[in-house]
Amino acid sequence: MKALCWEGVNKLAVERVPDPRIQNAHDVIVKVRYTTSCGSDLHLLDGYIPAMEAGDVIGHEFMGEVVEVGPEVAKHQVGDRVVVVSFIGCGSCWYCDHDLWSLCDNTNTNPGITQALWGQDPGGIYGYSHAMGGFMGSHAEYVRVPFADHGAFGVPEEIDDLTALFASDGLPTGWMGADLGGVGPGDTVAVWGAGGVGQMAARAAMLLGAEQVHVIDRLPERLAMVETHIGAATIDYSATDVGAELRERTGGRGPDVCIEAVGQEAHTYGPEYIYDKVKQQLRLENDRPPAIREAVMACRKGGSVFALGVYAGLVDKFPLGALMNKGLTLRGAQQHGQRYVPMLLERLSRGEISTSHLATHVLSLDEGPRGYDLFKNKEDGCVRAVFRP
Ligand SMILES: NC(=O)c1ccc[n+]([C@@H]2O[C@H](COP(=O)([O-])OP(=O)(O)OC[C@H]3O[C@@H](n4cnc5c(N)ncnc54)[C@H](O)[C@@H]3O)[C@@H](O)[C@H]2O)c1
Ligand SMILES: [Zn+2]
Ligand SMILES: [Zn+2]
């Protein structure tokens, strides 16, 4: 089959790879209808995620049709239209039992690297390096879905394919940031990053009852999208001091919940950016953290900060003093999609959340490298490059 493969830093190629086969009684094979690029893939492309090998198929967000079913699969049949959660959960370990699906103890088949990096290994994910299980990714014609009864969800008829696609990762990730960040009725929430993840976090915060939601970015087309499709307020950080603006909008107190949806390649202005960029390139720090620094500084005393943006290693100049003295709660997680997808599909059916506007560019798999160029450089208003294999 055809697939989009990682061939080195900033190098992608469309190649022929072997078709996936059922390997385990709980697997299904899905014929991909749509698969989208994600901010997390940019970290792979730019070389900040360890243990990629030339020829690895990338991509982790997808929906499609079940074409083959393992003998122990109970929930799915050939012909079902499904959306698949990007993280793979076994459904029977302590973590899956506690609804912490991305922390599954059984699905990272290559746990040594992340154990050395982080003390313990999280679960496996499609197309995201040999450190995270070495699973073939979804930018391909077919994908093997392990533990399909837990990771694949039937899509109700009234939800179209493109809308359903984002229930794979962007939407549940955003929802998790608002939910585990502790957003409740009446709260003021600030979200850094107006990409797919930040937009979904903002919408989730509104649906969880937040009174004010402010989304921070510098790209005008994304800020416009936040206003039109999400209904949140915006702050252009290229034109405003974000901390001062948030204080101004919150009677001097600061937001109750700050959600960081930017990650390890954040951009900023001035010496801070040059400092982090140089240190990152010399590998003296792995991640560039200006957005999460700003979130910690802007958060109200006693508030909470949630890291949705991906970080892989060490950061420098992290304001731990502010965290401690302001009594903040800091959390982060890879998405626990299995916990949220059934509820999110219901909300999508009712039209409470718009997702398909994120698919600004729908391309063939052959156009994969060009799609990633557009997405990486945010050219032509690209928010997500979506591929139709
Ligand atoms: N936790 C998870 O499970 C999970 C899942 C999916 C994605 N992610 C991560 O979430 C992050 C966002 O993903 P995405 O697909 O929306 O990516 P994206 O690249 O489309 O969006 C990132 C946005 O952040 C903005 N940005 C950069 N620096 C900023 C700053 N200092 N302040 C405010 N905004 C800034 C950019 O302009 C861009 O619009 C990535 O790090 C991605 O890896 C995490
Ligand atoms: Zn993703
Ligand atoms: Zn598990």
Side-chain angles (χ1 to χ4, degrees):
M1 66 169 180
K2 227 188 251 182
L4 186 62
C5 300
W6 188 91
E7 283 303 333
V9 174
N10 283 319
K11 234 167 108 192
L12 296 176
V14 179
E15 288 168 22
R16 293 238 149 237
V17 300
D19 284 357
R21 301 178 289 105
I22 299 271
Q23 290 178 21
N24 180 297
H26 298 278
D27 293 350
V28 302
I29 304 292
V30 167
K31 182 175 196 308
V32 178
R33 286 198 189 165
Y34 284 118
T35 174
T36 176
S37 62
C38 162
S40 301
D41 298 313
L42 297 179
H43 312 318
L44 287 181
L45 197 62
D46 293 342
Y48 295 118
I49 301 293
M52 286 299 290
E53 290 171 15
D56 285 347
V57 179
I58 65 164
H60 56 270
E61 307 193 13
F62 62 108
M63 63 81 56
E65 188 186 327
V66 175
V67 291
E68 223 183 309
V69 176
E72 299 286 325
V73 173
K75 226 173 81 180
H76 302 289
Q77 286 167 356
V78 169
D80 283 0
R81 195 166 64 107
V82 293
V83 58
V84 180
V85 173
S86 59
F87 265 84
I88 305 167
C90 74
S92 53
C93 73
W94 188 91
Y95 291 96
C96 291
D97 273 352
H98 287 76
D99 249 353
L100 300 168
W101 293 83
S102 70
L103 305 177
C104 175
D105 246 349
N106 289 325
T107 52
N108 187 344
T109 49
N110 188 16
I113 301 172
T114 50
Q115 280 174 2
L117 271 175
W118 303 325
Q120 288 174 312
D121 55 301
I125 174 173
Y126 300 97
Y128 214 73
S129 90
H130 296 269
M132 302 292 277
F135 292 92
M136 277 171 81
S138 63
H139 293 348
E141 291 174 276
Y142 299 92
V143 185
R144 178 177 76 94
V145 174
F147 302 109
D149 280 339
H150 302 292
F153 293 85
V155 178
E157 223 171 86
E158 60 278 14
I159 303 178
D160 63 70
D161 289 352
L162 261 187
T163 297
L165 168 64
F166 296 98
S168 169
D169 175 305
L171 174 56
T173 298
W175 193 278
M176 179 185 72
D179 178 34
L180 302 188
V183 174
D187 278 352
T188 296
V189 178
V191 179
W192 276 256
V197 173
Q199 290 192 33
M200 293 301 112
R203 187 68 197 144
M206 293 170 72
L207 291 169
L208 287 167
E211 199 172 289
Q212 287 185 43
V213 179
H214 307 276
V215 180
I216 301 142
D217 207 304
R218 77 177 191 290
L219 302 173
E221 64 281 7
R222 291 183 177 216
L223 294 174
M225 213 174 233
V226 167
E227 285 165 12
T228 327
H229 294 279
I230 306 299
T234 57
I235 299 177
D236 175 355
Y237 74 83
S238 71
T240 322
D241 175 332
V242 173
E245 182 65 27
L246 285 170
R247 277 194 301 281
E248 176 75 29
R249 293 186 190 188
T250 55
R253 199 162 69 198
D256 302 295
V257 179
C258 293
I259 301 173
E260 196 272 27
V262 177
Q264 65 181 169
E265 294 179 75
H267 159 270
T268 191
Y269 293 102
E272 183 184 354
Y273 188 59
I274 297 163
Y275 171 88
D276 284 315
K277 187 124 194 174
V278 169
K279 286 202 86 162
Q280 191 179 40
Q281 283 179 354
L282 295 174
R283 295 297 190 264
L284 294 172
E285 65 175 340
N286 189 75
D287 304 308
R288 277 195 325 259
I292 195 137
R293 282 186 195 125
E294 195 167 75
V296 167
M297 297 304 286
C299 194
R300 78 150 160 83
K301 292 182 279 183
S304 92
V305 176
F306 199 95
L308 280 180
V310 162
Y311 290 89
L314 303 177
V315 303
D316 211 353
K317 305 277 185 289
F318 184 77
L320 193 57
L323 183 92
M324 187 272 157
N325 288 287
K326 294 204 305 179
L328 302 182
T329 302
L330 174 67
R331 284 186 83 167
Q334 298 277 9
Q335 67 133 345
H336 305 309
Q338 289 84 342
R339 169 174 180 164
Y340 299 112
V341 169
M343 171 272 294
L344 291 170
L345 288 173
E346 280 177 28
R347 288 183 187 269
L348 289 171
S349 295
R350 294 198 295 268
E352 290 176 17
I353 308 170
S354 154
T355 58
S356 59
H357 68 277
L358 300 173
T360 50
H361 293 71
V362 180
L363 306 166
S364 71
L365 204 53
D366 288 324
E367 292 177 289
R370 187 174 81 85
Y372 267 91
D373 274 351
L374 290 169
F375 176 51
K376 178 180 152 94
N377 302 317
K378 314 312 193 215
E379 280 166 20
D380 193 31
C382 186
V383 176
R384 286 288 179 98
V386 171
F387 305 109
R388 192 167 24 190

